[in-house]
Amino acid sequence: MAIRVAVWGPGSMGVIALRGVIDHPELELVDLVVHSDVKTGRDAGELCGADPVGVVATADPTALLGGDADVVVYSAAANLRPLEALNDMVSRQVSDDVFGEYMAWLENDLGTSVNQAALQQALGNSAPDTN
């Protein structure tokens, strides 16, 4: 059985992830969230240079809540919009098994205090569970 994947943010980096999901024999693309009106309504395959796959891009991230994804690949420029990205991830989290994101930019020494403050604000000033 294939792992069902949603991709959120097929921009300059996310389009690479999108193509990787489409091309991988053990993955099945089930949802695609975009931030551009130009991409909304287009087939995911078309957006990354592949044949159509039957998954139409939506600008409505709430579609992920009702979707069938086992995993969400979040690639929506989190490093350029940290507060918005954290809010996206926290507000759309369905369960620990459905949504995950490794945010390397949170570990950047140059932005540590800003990133920690953003994380605390997005999580409602509670410390994240690191276990």
Side-chain angles (χ1 to χ4, degrees):
M1 182 172 167
I3 298 170
R4 297 166 301 187
V5 180
V7 175
W8 185 341
S12 60
M13 293 303 292
V15 73
I16 297 167
L18 177 61
R19 183 63 186 254
V21 170
I22 290 171
D23 289 346
H24 197 289
E26 296 178 15
L27 302 178
E28 175 190 359
L29 182 69
V30 295
D31 287 305
L32 178 63
V33 176
V34 298
H35 294 277
S36 166
D37 291 339
V38 174
K39 295 177 184 176
T40 301
R42 294 177 62 192
D43 186 90
E46 175 188 348
L47 292 175
C48 66
D51 291 333
V53 296
V55 175
V56 177
T58 179
D60 181 10
T62 60
L64 295 178
L65 292 175
D68 295 326
D70 298 315
V71 175
V72 175
V73 176
Y74 187 89
S75 54
N79 61 320
L80 300 177
R81 39 185 287 288
L83 284 177
E84 294 88 347
L86 285 168
N87 284 323
D88 285 347
M89 290 177 243
V90 171
S91 67
R92 304 297 177 220
Q93 185 168 0
V94 179
S95 77
D96 291 339
D97 296 331
V98 174
F99 198 92
E101 166 68 10
Y102 175 73
M103 296 176 286
W105 53 270
L106 281 174
E107 298 176 2
N108 181 340
D109 289 339
L110 296 175
T112 299
S113 61
V114 172
N115 293 332
Q116 288 175 347
L119 180 59
Q120 287 182 345
Q121 180 180 349
L123 296 174
N125 293 321
S126 63
D129 183 5
T130 58
N131 295 325

